[in-house]
Amino acid sequence: MSAAPALRFRHRHLLGIQGLSEDEIVALLDLSETYVAFNRSAEKKRELLAGRTLINLFFENSTRTRTSFELAGKRLGGDVINMQAATSSIKKGETLIDTAMTLNAMHPDVLVVRHPDSGAVNLLSQKVSCAVINGGDGSHEHPTQALLDALTIRRRRGRLQGLLVAICGDILHSRVARSNIHLLTTMGARVRVIAPPTLLPSAIDRLGVEIFYDMRRGLKDCDIVMMLRLQTERMQGAYVPSIREYFHFYGLDREKLAEARPDALIMHPGPMNRGVEIDSEVADDIDRSLIREQVEMGVAVRMACLDLLTRKLRANEDGAQGNGNGEQR
Amino acid sequence: MASNGKPPLALVDARLLDPASGRDEKGGLLAIEGRIVEVGPWVNGEGLPADAEVIRCAGHCLAPGLVDMRVQLREPGEEHMETIASGASAAAAGGVTGMVCLPNTDPIIDDVAAVEFVARRARETRLAKVYCYAAVTKALEGRDLVEMGLLAESGALAFTDGLKAVADAQVMRRALAYARAFGRRIIQHPEEPRLAEGGMMNSGELATRLGLAGIPAAAEVMMIERDLHLVAMTGASYHVAHISTAGAVEVIRGAKARGLPVTCDTQPAYFTLNETAVGDYRTFAKLSPPLRSEEDRWAVAAAVADGTIDCVASDHAPYDQESKRVPFAHAAAGIIGLETLLPLTLELHHKGQARLIDVLRRVTSAPADLLGLPQGRLAKGAPADLLLFDLDRPGRIDVDRLHSKSKNSPFDGHPIQGRVLRSIVDGRTVFAAEA
């Protein structure tokens, strides 16, 4: 195994992008890059996490993110266990903290947690002695999604700085939007948010973005167009009057896309609602759409996160002659 | 009277602070049979009854015991969080000699039997005096009025649906009008419930960053504005609980200038902390209404100083660990406050934002007058409910040393100045600090 460069990563957990420095983001992206090549080779197995246990603890349904973390863990040689909250004791009234303590007693090395409540992953991270990766918490953050988006963009455009990125759709409820805003603004990109006012959180401009209610004007000269998923239950009168009206004004189609730069690229964190926020013709345009590439980058980014967060732990044990399971800290 | 054979009590060599009369001078006080019989500079060590118990105050402040106009005591129903006895013991330690509890117990205080239960339990504890409000609407459901007349007769000091706003304008109109016949106020939790629905903290940049749904300041302001129209229609007395916004302060200031019978209170957190206390999802900083912006905090402090805000109450809301050690969205809203009311309120004086006599008025004579209670003043004939405190002694709040059964306070470690030395109820010492 090649000696990795000394990374300046000050954190025990990866709970969000807010708080990461530009250097730390670059370090994560550079490391991810090495895993992209690795994943494309025929032999996709390393022993980096041999003997390590990774638990995917999901309190919310997810196929894509969970599978991506599972593959990442397995390709690095770790033991991966998936726990879906619906089948666990959570439903029996056990509190989040009890669950955390129980899992902690089993000495996992990394916990990946997704939870429907903002801040739940932060709370859990305070109660366990292993590294915690936020797999998405409420409307707060989804850091690995922002990292994989950034990696995807950087590979196509060679940089993030100076790019004009539009994030469109349900910003109000979106953790993906928040993590992306933090990452892109930290890296020197210009970010616009495009949405009807009912789907914008208050004071969003304080996060360093420009606000547009008119999608055509918002897309003007953009390099990157990031679409967000709009949950069906939010489209029937509560936040927007109808799907039809939403698609008319905020759905990405050829016509609106024409306002962006001719080489503008399209992204979506998935799963897509075709015909609601994005037109199939646009989503499937192999020259413009990065949607499948985002999925590929997801595995590489998650491998990099696992690598980085367990690095300190591995270094400690090398020094202490490997005293078994995670007595880190 | 149970005071048979109780010796007279004399407190001498004190700094007398009586907000009701504006008195601030050296002197002493004599109480016989639980009532103040003499107060003034002429009460010194001489000429006292031979059997009097004499307490030398060494120049410390002697003020009326605090009257805390809004606490939750969780009894009956949730005694593992607080009982009337544990709450009264916390009150005594905090210098609170009288307090009024909200009707949101289980069962709810919406009938005469419940009011009498609270009164009986309070008598048994023999610490701070405990009064109660009754609900405005049966089962706090916001629809049918309680038996206000009978409840008023049995001792309910005012009517409030506690942590819930009376949202229906017609119900509120009738409640105000009906309560007027019995000389009682309606106390409103000022929050437009639909606008606040799902909200967890103040709307704004911080809520957006944390991904927590916000409660706009307007939810408070618009509910008060609506009610003021109903007050003008009915001529009834109306009190707004825990003001948290600059907007609400402005609206109430205007209403008072127009002569409407409106009063209001706040609690120390709203002039001590702002929304940043939520920080990294600290559930101890989750309140209802939520902690607001720095501008709001400043406006609330100024309104306490100038009297636009009539009273300061502790808003004591005990919750156990399980109610707070959960994701922010599911955490109970509220903090304990009986034992931090005095030092946090004194902070306004120590920071030079308000006169000492004025901040004391907000926690003594103002709430007592508003509720028609005889205490809260150093006056001949008034109950000898007293508070002796050291105004300047510095320290830090240590939640582990508080008497309340619950420990949910965002003020652990908060530096304070001022300490309760002795609390006296009806001439009887119910708390004395260790030396």
Side-chain angles (χ1 to χ4, degrees), chain A residues 18 95-97 101 115 117-120 122-123 126-127 137 139-140 178 182 201-204 206-207, chain B residues 200 202-214 280-281 283 322 324-330:
Chain A
Q18 187 173 229
T95 68
L96 178 65
I97 289 177
M101 305 293 244
H115 199 284
D117 292 322
S118 299
N122 299 48
L123 177 66
Q126 292 159 16
K127 308 293 172 186
D137 65 320
S139 309
H140 178 220
R178 284 173 179 74
H182 295 315
S202 63
I204 185 75
R206 297 292 300 263
L207 271 57
Chain B
M200 303 159 207
N202 189 40
S203 254
E205 178 185 351
L206 198 60
T208 292
R209 283 184 185 275
L210 293 171
L212 295 174
D280 195 15
Y281 303 99
T283 55
E322 282 61 48
K324 289 287 191 180
R325 289 181 59 193
V326 290
F328 200 86
H330 305 291

Side-chain angles (χ1 to χ4, degrees), chain B residues 109-122:
Chain B
I109 303 176
D110 61 0
D111 64 16
V112 170
V115 173
E116 286 172 349
F117 170 82
V118 173
R120 179 165 53 80
R121 297 286 292 119

Side-chain angles (χ1 to χ4, degrees), chain A residues 31-80:
Chain A
L31 187 59
S32 303
E33 199 75 65
T34 67
Y35 284 111
V36 175
F38 173 77
N39 283 336
R40 286 181 178 173
S41 62
E43 186 55 54
K44 295 190 263 293
K45 191 83 173 173
R46 288 184 109 181
E47 295 300 313
L48 202 63
L49 296 187
R52 308 285 168 210
T53 310
L54 163 71
I55 299 182
N56 279 327
L57 178 58
F58 277 59
F59 295 87
E60 223 180 43
N61 287 333
S62 156
T63 312
R64 186 176 302 242
T65 305
R66 186 182 50 73
T67 311
S68 184
F69 269 110
E70 185 175 354
L71 265 180
K74 286 183 169 164
R75 284 184 183 169
L76 291 175
D79 297 317
V80 183

Side-chain angles (χ1 to χ4, degrees), chain B residues 200-231:
Chain B
M200 303 159 207
M201 68 174 292
N202 189 40
S203 254
E205 178 185 351
L206 198 60
T208 292
R209 283 184 185 275
L210 293 171
L212 295 174
I215 301 174
E220 176 168 303
V221 183
M222 71 198 297
M223 190 52 117
I224 298 171
E225 286 182 321
R226 182 204 74 172
D227 286 349
L228 288 173
H229 289 290
L230 301 174
V231 169

Side-chain angles (χ1 to χ4, degrees), chain B residues 19-20 67 185 311 361 364-377:
Chain B
V67 177
R185 275 182 170 72
C311 307
R361 181 174 296 119
T364 55
S365 61
D369 289 346
L370 201 144
L371 298 167
L373 295 171
Q375 62 263 39
R377 67 210 76 233

Side-chain angles (χ1 to χ4, degrees), chain B residues 266-314:
Chain B
T266 190
Q267 75 122 304
Y270 300 120
F271 56 74
T272 310
L273 303 175
N274 63 28
E275 60 190 338
T276 59
V278 172
D280 195 15
Y281 303 99
R282 284 185 73 211
T283 55
F284 279 5
K286 184 176 180 183
L287 277 71
S288 172
L291 294 171
R292 303 289 188 179
S293 70
E294 177 60 8
E295 290 74 23
D296 290 310
R297 185 193 72 80
W298 192 254
V300 169
V304 171
D306 72 21
T308 302
I309 294 179
D310 302 83
C311 307
V312 177
S314 74

Side-chain angles (χ1 to χ4, degrees), chain B residues 80-431:
Chain B
H80 61 291
M81 298 190 191
E82 195 83 285
T83 60
I84 289 175
S86 69
S89 142
V96 174
T97 56
M99 59 182 161
V100 195
C101 58
L102 294 186
N104 63 332
T105 44
D106 181 16
I108 287 158
I109 303 176
D110 61 0
D111 64 16
V112 170
V115 173
E116 286 172 349
F117 170 82
V118 173
R120 179 165 53 80
R121 297 286 292 119
R123 276 196 307 275
E124 287 164 9
T125 61
R126 301 186 78 239
L127 291 165
K129 293 172 182 168
V130 185
Y131 307 91
C132 71
Y133 299 123
V136 176
T137 61
K138 286 176 187 156
L140 306 177
E141 281 171 354
R143 286 196 304 271
D144 306 319
L145 298 185
V146 299
E147 295 170 326
M148 287 188 175
L150 294 175
L151 284 158
E153 271 185 2
S154 71
L157 292 185
F159 298 93
T160 177
D161 274 357
L163 312 183
K164 291 170 79 176
V166 179
D168 185 308
Q170 186 65 279
V171 171
M172 189 56 162
R173 174 198 176 180
R174 291 186 179 138
L176 283 163
Y178 194 76
R180 194 181 173 193
F182 301 97
R184 291 292 190 275
R185 275 182 170 72
I186 301 292
I187 301 179
Q188 175 73 302
H189 170 69
E191 190 169 80
E192 207 311 299
R194 283 286 288 150
L195 197 56
E197 195 169 87
M200 303 159 207
M201 68 174 292
N202 189 40
S203 254
E205 178 185 351
L206 198 60
T208 292
R209 283 184 185 275
L210 293 171
L212 295 174
I215 301 174
E220 176 168 303
V221 183
M222 71 198 297
M223 190 52 117
I224 298 171
E225 286 182 321
R226 182 204 74 172
D227 286 349
L228 288 173
H229 289 290
L230 301 174
V231 169
M233 267 170 74
T234 58
S237 298
Y238 168 74
H239 180 89
V240 192
H242 41 221
I243 296 285
S244 69
T245 61
V249 166
E250 234 13 80
V251 166
I252 288 170
R253 191 173 277 140
K256 285 183 164 185
R258 296 200 307 277
L260 286 177
V262 53
T263 50
C264 66
D265 71 76
T266 190
Q267 75 122 304
Y270 300 120
F271 56 74
T272 310
L273 303 175
N274 63 28
E275 60 190 338
T276 59
V278 172
D280 195 15
Y281 303 99
R282 284 185 73 211
T283 55
F284 279 5
K286 184 176 180 183
L287 277 71
S288 172
L291 294 171
R292 303 289 188 179
S293 70
E294 177 60 8
E295 290 74 23
D296 290 310
R297 185 193 72 80
W298 192 254
V300 169
V304 171
D306 72 21
T308 302
I309 294 179
D310 302 83
C311 307
V312 177
S314 74
D315 227 351
H316 185 72
Y319 284 106
D320 58 8
Q321 288 227 346
E322 282 61 48
S323 307
K324 289 287 191 180
R325 289 181 59 193
V326 290
F328 200 86
H330 305 291
I335 63 175
I336 55 170
L338 276 166
E339 290 160 89
T340 51
L341 176 62
L342 179 70
L344 294 175
T345 304
L346 287 178
E347 211 171 291
L348 291 176
H349 157 69
H350 289 302
K351 284 179 178 164
Q353 284 181 281
R355 294 166 60 216
L356 177 59
I357 200 83
D358 288 336
V359 299
L360 284 175
R361 181 174 296 119
R362 311 281 176 257
V363 284
T364 55
S365 61
D369 289 346
L370 201 144
L371 298 167
L373 295 171
Q375 62 263 39
R377 67 210 76 233
L378 303 182
K380 280 190 200 177
D385 293 1
L386 306 168
L387 161 64
L388 181 66
F389 67 98
D390 180 336
L391 178 63
D392 296 315
R393 179 160 163 163
R396 280 179 189 277
I397 292 171
D398 177 356
V399 291
D400 292 329
R401 298 186 60 183
L402 300 182
H403 294 68
S404 178
K405 265 195 178 183
S406 295
K407 306 295 179 193
N408 52 306
S409 171
F411 291 108
D412 194 23
H414 186 87
I416 49 171
Q417 214 178 331
R419 180 189 191 217
V420 175
L421 298 174
R422 185 181 290 260
S423 302
I424 295 166
V425 173
D426 288 335
R428 186 167 42 84
T429 295
V430 294
F431 173 83

